[in-house]
Structure formats: C-alpha cells, structure tokens
C-alpha cells in the first residue's frame, strides 16, 4: 500500500529525478489466467478428490448400516432401501427418533447441520471467505446418515457435497492460502463428493461453477475438474463404471417427440416453482410453532413415518425409485402417488430443518411427474413417438434445473448417470424450457431462498469482466491540463478558483522541464489552506511514481487504484514510458460501465 504524505491524504506520490521516477514507477500487475500457485492448489485438489471419494463411500456405508439396524434388525454394511421391513406400525416411529437425534445434534453440536448443505456452503463462500467450521466435517455426514438411515426421504449427495466442501475449507484454513484459493478447495471437495456418489465428474464440475464458485476461470476450473476426475477414478476402482441410473437405450428422437419433450420440460418448470414455494411455506409454518426448533425434525419425522407407512417407497434416498421411473417399470398411478407423497414427505422433512439432501428427492419428484406426462401422451397420441422413460428423465433433470437454476448441471447430470447420448438433445430443450419458466416467474431458487432472506446477495449471472477487455488508452482522459514542478501552491490555487474550464478536474499531473510526468496532485490538496502558498509543487510529491500503461486493461488499472490508494493514474505510452498520454480517473471507469449498460440495453427507462 502506498504511504502518503502525512500532511495530506490526497497526495499521490513522486520522486524529483526523472530517471529515478521511471525506474521506481509502480505499474499495475498484469492479470494472468494461470500462475505457479495453481500447481499447488491443483495437487491439494487431487488429494481432496481421493479423500472425498473415501468419505462418500463411508457415508453410504454408514447409511446402509443404520438402515439395516433400524428397519431390518441386522448388522450389515450393504446399502438397503427401507421398502420391505418387519416393523409394521413401528415404521412411523423410526423417523421421529431420527429427527429427535438430529435436533439434539443441531442444538448442542452445530446449527449448520440443518438443511441440505449447499445453501450453507454458499453463505460461507459469500460472507465468511469460505471458512466452514471444522466440526461440520463429521457432524454433517453423521447427522445425515442418521436422518436418512431412519427413513428420511433425502439423498446422500447433499450431505457429501457439504462434507467435501467442509474438508476443502478445512484444508484451506490449515494451510496458508488466500480466500479465493480456499474457495477453490471448498468447491473441489464438493465436486469430488458429488462425482464419487454419482460417477458424474462433468456435472459435478458444472455444479461447482453454477452454485459455489460463481465464476469460470482457469485457476478455479482446473483444480475442481481434477478433483472430480480423481474422485470418479476412485469410484471406478471401488464400484465399477456402470451408469448409476441404467435405462433402456434411447433411440434418436423425432421432431414431433422433441417438441413434446420441450413441453414436458416447460410443465415441469411450472411444477418446480410450486415445489420451491411449498418447501419454504412449510418452513415458515414450522417457524410459527410454539416449540423450540430442536423438536421440529421429530415433528417432521412423524409426517415422514406416516407417509412412509402408506407408501414405503418414499422412505430413504430413493435411488431405486429413480431406476424404476426412468426404466419404465412403474405404472401411471404408482408414478402419480410417488410424485405427490414423496413431495409431501420430503418438503415437510426439509422444512422442519433436519439434515439431508435435495438432489435425489427432486429427481424422484420430477422424474415421476415426467413419467406421468409421458405415459399420458404416449397412450393418447402414440403416433408422436414419445418414450415415457425419456420423458421421465427429462422431468427429472428439468425439475432440478427449474428449482435450482443449475441449468448445465441438470442436462449433463442426466446424461452422465444414464450414459444415453440420444437423450442430450431433448434434455437440453426440456431443461432450457424449465429454466426459462422458473427464471421469469420465480425470483429466488430453492438453493438461495433461505440465505437471501437473511440478506445474503447471491450472484445469478456469470459474465466476462467488461473492464478486463477494454484497454486504458481507449477511455483515458486526453489533453488534460498539467502543472509544472516549479509552480507554487499559491499560483495554482488562484488558477483553480478561476473560471477556466481546464481547472475543473479533481487531480492534475505534475511535469518536469522535459514534459515527463513526476506525479499527480489532487485538487483538494492544492486548495488546502494549511499548505504554504510559496511551497513548490515538487515539494509536495512523495513516494514512487504511480502510472499505468495505455495497453493495460481497465480491470488491471482499477486493481492498481485499490492497491496504491490512488484516485488518478497517469497514463503513459507503451513504447515511450516517459511520455504522458493522459490520465485515468474513477469517473473514466464509471463511464466505461455506462457504455456496458448502453450496449446491453440495461439503460432503458
């Protein structure tokens, strides 16, 4: 940081000798897409990917153990769905007991275990420099395993994403890294966890970009991508490379069928709005209960148990449900019942503040709805060539796209988990339609509603940095009035209060006899009554010369202003550093933004 003259905070410095000034001049740092620090972060991300795959396997194993103990009375690590059980009416009690344990853990462990994890990770990224409390690394997976293992209608992916993110954050807190690098490690851990659960590395990276990183830069993308690759590679070793949700081969779609699939996506987009609003309406309802929030998960567990007794398929993660839905093995009324009852069970449980994920429930609800629409259309208009299984797959992806606005994640996830290349085109159309409907009719998403209510502003659009593509020379102020080093403060002050239009600027470059820049003095410094009237301007200049090359970008120049504390930068020629081309002010930066608004049409009244 530049140290200014203690007599005035507005002096932007200089040295009296031209040669010394040019040698010591402070230029902006050139922005580079990659540097050597990326290698270190990438190595750490690879380690995180391997660890996240192990944590994912451990979490699934723990869920299987608890499920087997609670619903089947046996000690087994095999993952099992609580569909057939000897408990009878006691099935209603198990989610209540699980909710009670979650409430106790949240009250005396950490309230951060409540919810599905992704909004909480987003909040830590945006407000706390990606610092997640270390205890979340074990409290979140343990609480989620208890919730899901006792029948909670959640997926394991949300907790493992949160846990992987917490591991990355912990690594970034232990090691000496910047807040930006810690964010990358958090995203790498989260992507590794999701990739290990679903064997979907590309969509895991896209999820990190769309919901955690809020950017797409090489220094972020490479570590996160390699973490996902490492986690998926470990999954291949442990579980094989078969698709997570196998389905019958999808044939190339016809144009009429493609139009129907886009319509299905549109309808599911409307449904995603209803699902999001219902979930938070239930959460608001729990807020009004006259009991401590510690008891809410148990109350929500009662609803889960009752619905699970009526339809056991709503209990647990429901991955087998997704298999059956897109495989076309469920009839119309079963799909319809599963859609409504899973929605009721999951929304009540999530609204109660228990611990669990959102991806699998949304996929189940959307897939069942898409399957219902697909069967109805195929039955009444068989000539359109609509495949109910593909309609279910589109409904699954479109529900997540509409509810979360993670558009590309939704498309690629459905493709990666089924490995059906002909599904890509209808998936793209259906998810785009759902995204359009959701974006027009719903301000917030299921991922951002909670934290935006607490005043956290979540980025929703990721575009290139406009300032980074404009050179300084294009917008700098030319033909600006300059001062001579030998002038006195009194002479300049009299000129500044005159009617000369050239005296209107807030800062003025000071030149030597050869016309080379020595520095900048601000208007308020020159008009300061404490400054001696006979003081020469050169005596007010201190520190290194602060300049910017006309070929630098406005982003580099703006960063330079922040770094040095300068209000005005001297712009020098690229081929002749001693020649001043003009000055760059903060007003010039704002004018550049005005051009951006004009080009984008955002300045329309």
């Amino acid at each position: 940081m530049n140290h200014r003259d203690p007599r005035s905070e507005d002096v932007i410095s200089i040295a009296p000798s031209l040669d010394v000034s040019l040698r010591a001049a402070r230029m902006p740092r050139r922005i580079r897409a990659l540097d050597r620090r990326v290698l270190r972060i990438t190595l750490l991300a690879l380690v995180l990917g391997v660890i996240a795959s192990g944590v994912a396997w451990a979490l699934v194993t723990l869920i299987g153990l608890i499920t087997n103990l609670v619903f089947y009375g046996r000690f087994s690590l095999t993952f099992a769905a609580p569909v057939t059980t000897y408990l009878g009416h006691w099935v209603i009690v198990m989610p209540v007991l699980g909710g009670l344990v979650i409430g106790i853990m949240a009250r005396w462990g950490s309230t951060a275990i409540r919810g599905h994890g992704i909004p909480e990770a987003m909040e830590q990224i945006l407000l706390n420099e990606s610092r997640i409390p270390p205890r979340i690394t074990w409290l979140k997976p343990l609480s989620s395993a208890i919730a899901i293992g006792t029948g909670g209608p959640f997926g394991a992916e949300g907790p493992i994403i949160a846990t992987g993110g917490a591991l990355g954050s912990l690594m970034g807190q232990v090691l000496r890294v910047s807040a930006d690098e810690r964010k990358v490690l958090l995203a790498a851990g989260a992507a590794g966890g999701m990739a290990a659960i679903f064997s979907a590395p590309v969509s895991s990276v896209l999820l990190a970009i769309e919901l955690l990183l809020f950017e797409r830069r090489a220094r972020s993308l490479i570590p996160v991508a390699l973490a996902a690759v490492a986690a998926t590679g470990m999954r291949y070793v442990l579980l094989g490379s078969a698709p997570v949700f196998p389905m019958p081969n999808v044939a190339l779609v016809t144009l009429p069928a493609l139009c129907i699939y886009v319509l299905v996506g549109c309808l599911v987009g409307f449904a995603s709005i209803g699902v999001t609003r219902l979930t938070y309406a239930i959460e608001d309802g729990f807020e009004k209960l006259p009991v401590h929030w510690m008891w809410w998960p148990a109350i929500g567990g009662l609803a889960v148990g009752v619905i699970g007794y009526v339809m056991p398929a709503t209990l647990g993660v429901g991955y087998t449900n997704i298999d059956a839905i897109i495989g076309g093995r469920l009839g119309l009324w079963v799909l319809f019942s599963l859609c409504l009852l899973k929605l009721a069970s999951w929304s009540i449980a999530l609204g109660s503040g228990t611990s669990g994920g959102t991806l699998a429930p949304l996929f189940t609800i959307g897939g069942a709805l898409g399957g219902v629409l697909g069967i109805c259309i195929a039955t009444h208009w068989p000539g359109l060539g609509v495949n109910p299984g593909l309609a279910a797959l589109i409904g699954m992806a479109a529900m997540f796209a509409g509810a979360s606005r993670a558009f590309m994640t939704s498309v690629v996830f459905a493709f990666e988990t089924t490995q059906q290349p002909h599904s890509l085109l209808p998936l793209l159309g259906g998810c785009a339609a759902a995204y359009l409907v959701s974006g027009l009719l719903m301000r917030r998403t299921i991922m951002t509603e909670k934290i935006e209510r607490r005043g956290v502003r979540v980025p929703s659009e990721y575009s290139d940095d406009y300032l980074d593509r404009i050179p300084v020379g294009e917008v700098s102020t030319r033909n600006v009035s300059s001062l001579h080093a030998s002038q006195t403060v009194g002479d300049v002050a009299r000129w500044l209060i005159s009617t000369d239009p050239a005296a209107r600027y807030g800062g003025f470059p000071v030149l030597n006899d050869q016309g080379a820049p020595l520095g900048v003095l601000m208007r308020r410094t020159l008009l300061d009554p404490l400054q001696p009237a006979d003081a020469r301007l050169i005596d007010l200049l201190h520190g290194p010369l602060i300049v910017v090359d006309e070929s630098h970008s406005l982003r580099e120049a703006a960063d330079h202003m922040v770094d040095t504390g300068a209000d005005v930068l001297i712009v020098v020629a690229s081929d002749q550093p001693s020649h001043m081309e003009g000055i760059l002010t903060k007003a010039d930066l704002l004018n550049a933004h005005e051009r951006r608004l004009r080009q984008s049409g955002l300045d329309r009244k």
Side-chain angles (χ1 to χ4, degrees), residues 434-565:
Y435 188 99
L436 176 63
V437 169
S438 172
L440 290 175
L441 300 180
M442 184 169 65
R443 177 185 172 190
R444 298 166 179 167
T445 74
I446 201 166
M447 301 296 180
T448 66
E449 177 75 23
K450 180 185 296 185
I451 59 177
E452 288 199 17
R453 287 181 177 186
R454 296 200 287 261
V456 181
R457 184 171 176 83
V458 182
S460 59
E461 300 289 340
Y462 315 131
S463 58
D464 67 310
D465 187 343
Y466 184 76
L467 295 182
D468 194 42
R469 49 188 169 99
I470 299 181
V472 166
E474 188 175 318
V475 299
S476 59
T477 301
R478 308 282 180 146
N479 302 320
V480 65
S481 297
S482 59
L483 306 177
H484 193 276
S486 62
Q487 287 180 280
T488 64
V489 171
D491 293 336
V492 174
R494 284 190 292 273
W495 172 69
L496 288 176
I497 61 176
S498 69
T499 58
D500 188 348
R504 71 183 186 277
Y505 294 106
F508 299 89
V510 180
L511 309 180
N512 64 4
D513 292 334
Q514 291 76 38
L518 296 177
V520 173
L521 288 175
M522 301 304 296
R523 179 188 186 90
R524 51 184 175 270
T525 298
L526 296 167
L527 293 177
D528 188 346
L530 298 179
Q531 296 286 2
D534 59 348
R536 294 190 309 159
L537 300 189
I538 195 170
D539 296 328
L540 303 182
L541 301 172
H542 301 270
L545 177 63
I546 301 172
V547 299
V548 61
D549 191 296
E550 60 183 347
S551 66
H552 277 96
S553 71
L554 288 185
R555 167 53 53 211
E556 292 168 331
D559 292 346
H560 196 39
M561 284 184 173
V562 173
D563 187 41
T564 61

Side-chain angles (χ1 to χ4, degrees), residues 310-396:
V310 174
M311 190 173 197
T314 61
L315 297 171
V317 294
Y319 294 155
T320 53
N321 293 334
I322 297 175
D323 282 341
I325 290 170
I326 63 176
R329 298 193 296 273
L330 300 181
L332 179 65
W333 289 109
V334 174
L335 285 171
F336 184 74
S337 301
L338 180 60
C339 177
L340 292 182
L341 293 179
K342 184 73 172 184
L343 172 60
S345 177
W346 167 74
S347 59
I348 293 173
L350 189 65
S352 72
T354 193
S355 181
T358 60
L359 275 73
L362 287 174
F363 293 150
T364 302
I365 296 165
L369 178 57
V372 167
L373 295 173
I375 290 175
C376 291
I377 294 170
T379 301
H380 291 86
W381 298 281
L384 295 175
V386 171
N387 179 345
L390 181 54
L393 181 65
I394 292 167
M396 180 180 90

